[in-house]
Amino acid sequence: MSAAPPRTLEDDVVDDCARLIRFDTSNFGGGDSRGERAAAEWVAEQLTDCGYDPVVLESEPGRASTVVRIAGSDRDAPALLVHGHLDVVPAVAADWSFDPFGGEIRNGEILGRGALDMKDMDAMMLAVARGLARDNVPPGRDVVLAFVADEEDTGEYGAGFLATKHRELFEGVTTAIGESGGSPSYLSNGNAVYPVATCERGTAWMRLTAHGPAGHGSRPAPQNAVATLARALVRIADHRWPTRIIPAVAALLEGVEAQLGTKVDLDAPDGLSALGDLAGLVERTTRNTLNPTMLQAGYKANVIPSEATAVVDGRILPGTEDEFFATVDELLGPDVTREFVSHAAPVGASHETAEFALIASAIRAYDPTAVVLPFCMGGGTDAKAFSTIGIDCYGFAPGVFPPGYALGDYVHGVDERVPISSLHAGVRMVDAYLRSAPHVTEEQT
């Protein structure tokens, strides 16, 4: 009887992704989650079987993360952090055409919640770690792998906990990769570019409060708290934030224009159309935003309440925080106060670094024609926590999707799935990146 063929990265990443999806790690927010401990322990078991020495750390009961350091060939080089979150947003099974936590493999895809956000990257991390052990080859430098809880809420129980309470795990780490970036986006002329995140907008979730005298609903109420707050919310909703082109976005547009052979006029009615898949990404990162998301007031139809509250979601481009909050206060006026529900400053790293070039080389190892450009994330990731301890963070969780693939519909949406071909491409890029030797500058020695 012939021996079974040796395992490959491609075999491992598919099996690991399907298995991870079968852990229901739904994060409902506000400290309410499930399954993170079980998933973290399973990851630790896989790493232990490879000969590594992972640790599982709980911030609160059940809120667990797994961290392991893999010794590199150059122990003096600055270390690298690779982070991925194990939690997912909830899925209402009745809305799906398959079990969201079944991890089913069908028609060349793996189906289930987290397939794209981000158990695909978790599987790549695990598969590459297993491949390094199988080949008995160290990475080019020390690599810290962190499989974390709670990214889909505030990160307090995951990356935030690790960065503040277990900083020793990241000794010597200067750079990190995490979600998102490294997948091709297709322009209007069919050309593909690979955006890699170098920065992300800050987050300001704020509770707004208006006060006024309580009274009977049948009487005039010129200082009605509900009306005062409503007028402020209308001002917020109607405000048109000015365009601000930060360096990462400028570099992205410059690279896109080179591919298109023409200038991109963002102020033209159809200026974004030439950007193809990148249109939404660029639109979210050329200005700040502030959106009302929650509203609450009163307890009875005939009682004028003394207080009305709302919650707004603000997203802030790097370098514009002072301008943003000054505008918020102007829009609110003197009769509405604000307080933070959650606040994380914008973060950013330069795209003109040896590290960015190393990421680009890993992408080109898979696609020699790849055009790799920086971009700014419109939302937020665990990079915000890790940047607070001096780590430069990049968004590189690669994959390859065909033109027109409904990526945006599946992430946080219904019937999430990932093509197996994308996993195969992504794991090869991550493997090439981790095996490569970093360029060490004189300042780092």
Side-chain angles (χ1 to χ4, degrees), residues 184-213:
S185 293
Y186 301 91
L187 306 177
S188 59
N189 64 358
N191 287 7
V193 298
Y194 287 75
V196 170
T198 59
C199 55
E200 58 187 53
R201 294 195 299 176
T203 301
W205 296 347
M206 294 174 285
R207 180 176 291 105
L208 312 181
T209 304
H211 291 98

PDB file of all heavy atoms in Angstrom, residues 184-213:
ATOM      1  N   PRO A 184      -6.542  41.542  -4.968  1.00  0.00           N
ATOM      2  CA  PRO A 184      -6.641  42.434  -6.127  1.00  0.00           C
ATOM      3  C   PRO A 184      -7.990  43.137  -6.193  1.00  0.00           C
ATOM      4  O   PRO A 184      -9.031  42.563  -5.898  1.00  0.00           O
ATOM      5  CB  PRO A 184      -6.455  41.486  -7.315  1.00  0.00           C
ATOM      6  CG  PRO A 184      -6.857  40.144  -6.812  1.00  0.00           C
ATOM      7  CD  PRO A 184      -6.479  40.123  -5.367  1.00  0.00           C
ATOM      8  N   SER A 185      -7.934  44.408  -6.590  1.00  0.00           N
ATOM      9  CA  SER A 185      -9.131  45.170  -6.946  1.00  0.00           C
ATOM     10  C   SER A 185      -9.023  45.519  -8.416  1.00  0.00           C
ATOM     11  O   SER A 185      -7.927  45.815  -8.927  1.00  0.00           O
ATOM     12  CB  SER A 185      -9.226  46.454  -6.113  1.00  0.00           C
ATOM     13  OG  SER A 185      -9.448  46.156  -4.747  1.00  0.00           O
ATOM     14  N   TYR A 186     -10.132  45.503  -9.111  1.00  0.00           N
ATOM     15  CA  TYR A 186     -10.128  45.642 -10.564  1.00  0.00           C
ATOM     16  C   TYR A 186     -10.667  47.012 -10.959  1.00  0.00           C
ATOM     17  O   TYR A 186     -11.754  47.415 -10.546  1.00  0.00           O
ATOM     18  CB  TYR A 186     -10.946  44.521 -11.203  1.00  0.00           C
ATOM     19  CG  TYR A 186     -10.410  43.151 -10.856  1.00  0.00           C
ATOM     20  CD1 TYR A 186     -10.890  42.461  -9.743  1.00  0.00           C
ATOM     21  CD2 TYR A 186      -9.387  42.568 -11.598  1.00  0.00           C
ATOM     22  CE1 TYR A 186     -10.381  41.208  -9.398  1.00  0.00           C
ATOM     23  CE2 TYR A 186      -8.869  41.330 -11.258  1.00  0.00           C
ATOM     24  CZ  TYR A 186      -9.371  40.649 -10.154  1.00  0.00           C
ATOM     25  OH  TYR A 186      -8.853  39.422  -9.817  1.00  0.00           O
ATOM     26  N   LEU A 187      -9.876  47.733 -11.764  1.00  0.00           N
ATOM     27  CA  LEU A 187     -10.250  49.062 -12.225  1.00  0.00           C
ATOM     28  C   LEU A 187     -11.216  48.962 -13.394  1.00  0.00           C
ATOM     29  O   LEU A 187     -11.488  47.878 -13.916  1.00  0.00           O
ATOM     30  CB  LEU A 187      -8.990  49.835 -12.624  1.00  0.00           C
ATOM     31  CG  LEU A 187      -7.894  49.927 -11.552  1.00  0.00           C
ATOM     32  CD1 LEU A 187      -6.674  50.651 -12.098  1.00  0.00           C
ATOM     33  CD2 LEU A 187      -8.420  50.615 -10.298  1.00  0.00           C
ATOM     34  N   SER A 188     -11.704  50.118 -13.834  1.00  0.00           N
ATOM     35  CA  SER A 188     -12.696  50.129 -14.909  1.00  0.00           C
ATOM     36  C   SER A 188     -12.137  49.590 -16.220  1.00  0.00           C
ATOM     37  O   SER A 188     -12.885  49.105 -17.072  1.00  0.00           O
ATOM     38  CB  SER A 188     -13.219  51.551 -15.120  1.00  0.00           C
ATOM     39  OG  SER A 188     -12.159  52.432 -15.461  1.00  0.00           O
ATOM     40  N   ASN A 189     -10.814  49.670 -16.401  1.00  0.00           N
ATOM     41  CA  ASN A 189     -10.206  49.141 -17.636  1.00  0.00           C
ATOM     42  C   ASN A 189      -9.788  47.681 -17.509  1.00  0.00           C
ATOM     43  O   ASN A 189      -9.156  47.123 -18.405  1.00  0.00           O
ATOM     44  CB  ASN A 189      -9.005  49.991 -18.050  1.00  0.00           C
ATOM     45  CG  ASN A 189      -7.861  49.943 -17.040  1.00  0.00           C
ATOM     46  OD1 ASN A 189      -7.973  49.302 -15.991  1.00  0.00           O
ATOM     47  ND2 ASN A 189      -6.764  50.624 -17.353  1.00  0.00           N
ATOM     48  N   GLY A 190     -10.124  47.047 -16.388  1.00  0.00           N
ATOM     49  CA  GLY A 190      -9.802  45.639 -16.183  1.00  0.00           C
ATOM     50  C   GLY A 190      -8.481  45.393 -15.500  1.00  0.00           C
ATOM     51  O   GLY A 190      -8.208  44.262 -15.072  1.00  0.00           O
ATOM     52  N   ASN A 191      -7.636  46.409 -15.375  1.00  0.00           N
ATOM     53  CA  ASN A 191      -6.358  46.227 -14.696  1.00  0.00           C
ATOM     54  C   ASN A 191      -6.581  45.975 -13.205  1.00  0.00           C
ATOM     55  O   ASN A 191      -7.516  46.509 -12.600  1.00  0.00           O
ATOM     56  CB  ASN A 191      -5.476  47.465 -14.866  1.00  0.00           C
ATOM     57  CG  ASN A 191      -4.924  47.596 -16.268  1.00  0.00           C
ATOM     58  OD1 ASN A 191      -5.299  46.841 -17.157  1.00  0.00           O
ATOM     59  ND2 ASN A 191      -4.062  48.576 -16.492  1.00  0.00           N
ATOM     60  N   ALA A 192      -5.689  45.179 -12.632  1.00  0.00           N
ATOM     61  CA  ALA A 192      -5.796  44.852 -11.213  1.00  0.00           C
ATOM     62  C   ALA A 192      -4.691  45.543 -10.424  1.00  0.00           C
ATOM     63  O   ALA A 192      -3.549  45.640 -10.884  1.00  0.00           O
ATOM     64  CB  ALA A 192      -5.700  43.341 -11.007  1.00  0.00           C
ATOM     65  N   VAL A 193      -5.047  46.043  -9.244  1.00  0.00           N
ATOM     66  CA  VAL A 193      -4.059  46.552  -8.297  1.00  0.00           C
ATOM     67  C   VAL A 193      -4.296  45.843  -6.964  1.00  0.00           C
ATOM     68  O   VAL A 193      -5.419  45.407  -6.666  1.00  0.00           O
ATOM     69  CB  VAL A 193      -4.149  48.083  -8.118  1.00  0.00           C
ATOM     70  CG1 VAL A 193      -3.877  48.792  -9.431  1.00  0.00           C
ATOM     71  CG2 VAL A 193      -5.508  48.498  -7.556  1.00  0.00           C
ATOM     72  N   TYR A 194      -3.238  45.711  -6.172  1.00  0.00           N
ATOM     73  CA  TYR A 194      -3.311  45.064  -4.863  1.00  0.00           C
ATOM     74  C   TYR A 194      -3.134  46.132  -3.782  1.00  0.00           C
ATOM     75  O   TYR A 194      -2.015  46.538  -3.482  1.00  0.00           O
ATOM     76  CB  TYR A 194      -2.215  44.014  -4.710  1.00  0.00           C
ATOM     77  CG  TYR A 194      -2.397  42.749  -5.505  1.00  0.00           C
ATOM     78  CD1 TYR A 194      -2.177  42.723  -6.877  1.00  0.00           C
ATOM     79  CD2 TYR A 194      -2.770  41.557  -4.886  1.00  0.00           C
ATOM     80  CE1 TYR A 194      -2.326  41.544  -7.612  1.00  0.00           C
ATOM     81  CE2 TYR A 194      -2.926  40.377  -5.603  1.00  0.00           C
ATOM     82  CZ  TYR A 194      -2.694  40.381  -6.968  1.00  0.00           C
ATOM     83  OH  TYR A 194      -2.850  39.218  -7.683  1.00  0.00           O
ATOM     84  N   PRO A 195      -4.220  46.616  -3.173  1.00  0.00           N
ATOM     85  CA  PRO A 195      -4.080  47.595  -2.091  1.00  0.00           C
ATOM     86  C   PRO A 195      -3.640  46.914  -0.790  1.00  0.00           C
ATOM     87  O   PRO A 195      -4.124  45.839  -0.437  1.00  0.00           O
ATOM     88  CB  PRO A 195      -5.487  48.176  -1.941  1.00  0.00           C
ATOM     89  CG  PRO A 195      -6.284  47.654  -3.095  1.00  0.00           C
ATOM     90  CD  PRO A 195      -5.633  46.382  -3.513  1.00  0.00           C
ATOM     91  N   VAL A 196      -2.726  47.555  -0.091  1.00  0.00           N
ATOM     92  CA  VAL A 196      -2.282  47.114   1.233  1.00  0.00           C
ATOM     93  C   VAL A 196      -2.488  48.280   2.193  1.00  0.00           C
ATOM     94  O   VAL A 196      -2.024  49.394   1.938  1.00  0.00           O
ATOM     95  CB  VAL A 196      -0.802  46.683   1.208  1.00  0.00           C
ATOM     96  CG1 VAL A 196      -0.273  46.458   2.624  1.00  0.00           C
ATOM     97  CG2 VAL A 196      -0.624  45.428   0.362  1.00  0.00           C
ATOM     98  N   ALA A 197      -3.193  48.033   3.286  1.00  0.00           N
ATOM     99  CA  ALA A 197      -3.526  49.116   4.204  1.00  0.00           C
ATOM    100  C   ALA A 197      -2.296  49.585   4.974  1.00  0.00           C
ATOM    101  O   ALA A 197      -1.565  48.774   5.543  1.00  0.00           O
ATOM    102  CB  ALA A 197      -4.610  48.670   5.179  1.00  0.00           C
ATOM    103  N   THR A 198      -2.108  50.896   4.986  1.00  0.00           N
ATOM    104  CA  THR A 198      -1.034  51.489   5.779  1.00  0.00           C
ATOM    105  C   THR A 198      -1.575  52.375   6.889  1.00  0.00           C
ATOM    106  O   THR A 198      -0.805  52.816   7.748  1.00  0.00           O
ATOM    107  CB  THR A 198      -0.083  52.318   4.893  1.00  0.00           C
ATOM    108  OG1 THR A 198      -0.842  53.349   4.241  1.00  0.00           O
ATOM    109  CG2 THR A 198       0.586  51.446   3.839  1.00  0.00           C
ATOM    110  N   CYS A 199      -2.872  52.649   6.850  1.00  0.00           N
ATOM    111  CA  CYS A 199      -3.467  53.475   7.895  1.00  0.00           C
ATOM    112  C   CYS A 199      -4.965  53.194   7.938  1.00  0.00           C
ATOM    113  O   CYS A 199      -5.517  52.536   7.050  1.00  0.00           O
ATOM    114  CB  CYS A 199      -3.212  54.969   7.646  1.00  0.00           C
ATOM    115  SG  CYS A 199      -3.742  55.568   6.032  1.00  0.00           S
ATOM    116  N   GLU A 200      -5.604  53.678   8.986  1.00  0.00           N
ATOM    117  CA  GLU A 200      -7.042  53.531   9.088  1.00  0.00           C
ATOM    118  C   GLU A 200      -7.643  54.698   9.853  1.00  0.00           C
ATOM    119  O   GLU A 200      -6.984  55.296  10.724  1.00  0.00           O
ATOM    120  CB  GLU A 200      -7.428  52.207   9.741  1.00  0.00           C
ATOM    121  CG  GLU A 200      -6.880  51.952  11.109  1.00  0.00           C
ATOM    122  CD  GLU A 200      -7.185  50.535  11.596  1.00  0.00           C
ATOM    123  OE1 GLU A 200      -6.877  49.579  10.869  1.00  0.00           O
ATOM    124  OE2 GLU A 200      -7.717  50.396  12.698  1.00  0.00           O
ATOM    125  N   ARG A 201      -8.854  55.031   9.473  1.00  0.00           N
ATOM    126  CA  ARG A 201      -9.529  56.136  10.140  1.00  0.00           C
ATOM    127  C   ARG A 201      -9.764  55.821  11.621  1.00  0.00           C
ATOM    128  O   ARG A 201      -9.952  54.664  12.000  1.00  0.00           O
ATOM    129  CB  ARG A 201     -10.884  56.429   9.474  1.00  0.00           C
ATOM    130  CG  ARG A 201     -10.756  56.952   8.062  1.00  0.00           C
ATOM    131  CD  ARG A 201     -12.062  57.568   7.570  1.00  0.00           C
ATOM    132  NE  ARG A 201     -13.169  56.622   7.541  1.00  0.00           N
ATOM    133  CZ  ARG A 201     -14.416  56.943   7.217  1.00  0.00           C
ATOM    134  NH1 ARG A 201     -14.715  58.199   6.924  1.00  0.00           N
ATOM    135  NH2 ARG A 201     -15.367  56.027   7.208  1.00  0.00           N
ATOM    136  N   GLY A 202      -9.730  56.855  12.413  1.00  0.00           N
ATOM    137  CA  GLY A 202     -10.032  56.698  13.821  1.00  0.00           C
ATOM    138  C   GLY A 202     -11.521  56.514  14.043  1.00  0.00           C
ATOM    139  O   GLY A 202     -12.343  56.757  13.153  1.00  0.00           O
ATOM    140  N   THR A 203     -11.867  56.072  15.242  1.00  0.00           N
ATOM    141  CA  THR A 203     -13.260  55.816  15.592  1.00  0.00           C
ATOM    142  C   THR A 203     -13.657  56.683  16.777  1.00  0.00           C
ATOM    143  O   THR A 203     -12.937  56.749  17.778  1.00  0.00           O
ATOM    144  CB  THR A 203     -13.467  54.332  15.962  1.00  0.00           C
ATOM    145  OG1 THR A 203     -13.095  53.518  14.849  1.00  0.00           O
ATOM    146  CG2 THR A 203     -14.919  54.055  16.304  1.00  0.00           C
ATOM    147  N   ALA A 204     -14.801  57.346  16.654  1.00  0.00           N
ATOM    148  CA  ALA A 204     -15.355  58.125  17.760  1.00  0.00           C
ATOM    149  C   ALA A 204     -16.841  57.825  17.854  1.00  0.00           C
ATOM    150  O   ALA A 204     -17.650  58.416  17.132  1.00  0.00           O
ATOM    151  CB  ALA A 204     -15.122  59.618  17.560  1.00  0.00           C
ATOM    152  N   TRP A 205     -17.184  56.854  18.707  1.00  0.00           N
ATOM    153  CA  TRP A 205     -18.595  56.586  19.010  1.00  0.00           C
ATOM    154  C   TRP A 205     -18.954  57.471  20.194  1.00  0.00           C
ATOM    155  O   TRP A 205     -18.344  57.366  21.269  1.00  0.00           O
ATOM    156  CB  TRP A 205     -18.813  55.118  19.353  1.00  0.00           C
ATOM    157  CG  TRP A 205     -18.516  54.174  18.213  1.00  0.00           C
ATOM    158  CD1 TRP A 205     -18.319  54.488  16.911  1.00  0.00           C
ATOM    159  CD2 TRP A 205     -18.385  52.753  18.303  1.00  0.00           C
ATOM    160  NE1 TRP A 205     -18.076  53.364  16.161  1.00  0.00           N
ATOM    161  CE2 TRP A 205     -18.112  52.282  16.992  1.00  0.00           C
ATOM    162  CE3 TRP A 205     -18.480  51.842  19.341  1.00  0.00           C
ATOM    163  CZ2 TRP A 205     -17.927  50.930  16.711  1.00  0.00           C
ATOM    164  CZ3 TRP A 205     -18.295  50.490  19.065  1.00  0.00           C
ATOM    165  CH2 TRP A 205     -18.023  50.047  17.765  1.00  0.00           C
ATOM    166  N   MET A 206     -19.939  58.342  20.007  1.00  0.00           N
ATOM    167  CA  MET A 206     -20.259  59.332  21.034  1.00  0.00           C
ATOM    168  C   MET A 206     -21.742  59.301  21.381  1.00  0.00           C
ATOM    169  O   MET A 206     -22.594  59.123  20.511  1.00  0.00           O
ATOM    170  CB  MET A 206     -19.879  60.733  20.533  1.00  0.00           C
ATOM    171  CG  MET A 206     -18.382  60.929  20.353  1.00  0.00           C
ATOM    172  SD  MET A 206     -17.973  62.530  19.594  1.00  0.00           S
ATOM    173  CE  MET A 206     -18.430  62.219  17.875  1.00  0.00           C
ATOM    174  N   ARG A 207     -22.010  59.500  22.659  1.00  0.00           N
ATOM    175  CA  ARG A 207     -23.390  59.654  23.122  1.00  0.00           C
ATOM    176  C   ARG A 207     -23.694  61.147  23.238  1.00  0.00           C
ATOM    177  O   ARG A 207     -22.989  61.895  23.915  1.00  0.00           O
ATOM    178  CB  ARG A 207     -23.587  58.974  24.473  1.00  0.00           C
ATOM    179  CG  ARG A 207     -25.014  59.098  25.006  1.00  0.00           C
ATOM    180  CD  ARG A 207     -25.217  58.335  26.304  1.00  0.00           C
ATOM    181  NE  ARG A 207     -25.150  56.879  26.066  1.00  0.00           N
ATOM    182  CZ  ARG A 207     -24.122  56.112  26.391  1.00  0.00           C
ATOM    183  NH1 ARG A 207     -23.040  56.651  26.973  1.00  0.00           N
ATOM    184  NH2 ARG A 207     -24.140  54.822  26.155  1.00  0.00           N
ATOM    185  N   LEU A 208     -24.735  61.567  22.563  1.00  0.00           N
ATOM    186  CA  LEU A 208     -25.164  62.961  22.587  1.00  0.00           C
ATOM    187  C   LEU A 208     -26.360  63.089  23.519  1.00  0.00           C
ATOM    188  O   LEU A 208     -27.264  62.245  23.507  1.00  0.00           O
ATOM    189  CB  LEU A 208     -25.556  63.424  21.187  1.00  0.00           C
ATOM    190  CG  LEU A 208     -24.580  63.106  20.046  1.00  0.00           C
ATOM    191  CD1 LEU A 208     -25.105  63.657  18.736  1.00  0.00           C
ATOM    192  CD2 LEU A 208     -23.190  63.647  20.356  1.00  0.00           C
ATOM    193  N   THR A 209     -26.386  64.163  24.303  1.00  0.00           N
ATOM    194  CA  THR A 209     -27.461  64.330  25.274  1.00  0.00           C
ATOM    195  C   THR A 209     -27.972  65.769  25.243  1.00  0.00           C
ATOM    196  O   THR A 209     -27.182  66.719  25.258  1.00  0.00           O
ATOM    197  CB  THR A 209     -26.983  64.002  26.697  1.00  0.00           C
ATOM    198  OG1 THR A 209     -26.449  62.679  26.722  1.00  0.00           O
ATOM    199  CG2 THR A 209     -28.144  64.087  27.690  1.00  0.00           C
ATOM    200  N   ALA A 210     -29.304  65.888  25.196  1.00  0.00           N
ATOM    201  CA  ALA A 210     -29.958  67.190  25.329  1.00  0.00           C
ATOM    202  C   ALA A 210     -30.879  67.149  26.545  1.00  0.00           C
ATOM    203  O   ALA A 210     -31.536  66.129  26.803  1.00  0.00           O
ATOM    204  CB  ALA A 210     -30.760  67.520  24.075  1.00  0.00           C
ATOM    205  N   HIS A 211     -30.933  68.256  27.290  1.00  0.00           N
ATOM    206  CA  HIS A 211     -31.793  68.349  28.475  1.00  0.00           C
ATOM    207  C   HIS A 211     -32.810  69.478  28.309  1.00  0.00           C
ATOM    208  O   HIS A 211     -32.581  70.436  27.558  1.00  0.00           O
ATOM    209  CB  HIS A 211     -30.967  68.588  29.734  1.00  0.00           C
ATOM    210  CG  HIS A 211     -30.131  67.426  30.143  1.00  0.00           C
ATOM    211  ND1 HIS A 211     -28.788  67.333  29.826  1.00  0.00           N
ATOM    212  CD2 HIS A 211     -30.443  66.297  30.828  1.00  0.00           C
ATOM    213  CE1 HIS A 211     -28.302  66.189  30.309  1.00  0.00           C
ATOM    214  NE2 HIS A 211     -29.282  65.546  30.918  1.00  0.00           N
ATOM    215  N   GLY A 212     -33.883  69.354  29.002  1.00  0.00           N
ATOM    216  CA  GLY A 212     -34.917  70.381  29.008  1.00  0.00           C
ATOM    217  C   GLY A 212     -35.884  70.092  30.129  1.00  0.00           C
ATOM    218  O   GLY A 212     -35.862  69.015  30.744  1.00  0.00           O
ATOM    219  N   PRO A 213     -36.762  71.033  30.416  1.00  0.00           N
ATOM    220  CA  PRO A 213     -37.727  70.810  31.501  1.00  0.00           C
ATOM    221  C   PRO A 213     -38.758  69.751  31.131  1.00  0.00           C
ATOM    222  O   PRO A 213     -39.272  69.728  30.011  1.00  0.00           O
ATOM    223  CB  PRO A 213     -38.384  72.188  31.677  1.00  0.00           C
ATOM    224  CG  PRO A 213     -38.194  72.874  30.368  1.00  0.00           C
ATOM    225  CD  PRO A 213     -36.897  72.382  29.823  1.00  0.00           C
TER     226      PRO A 213
END
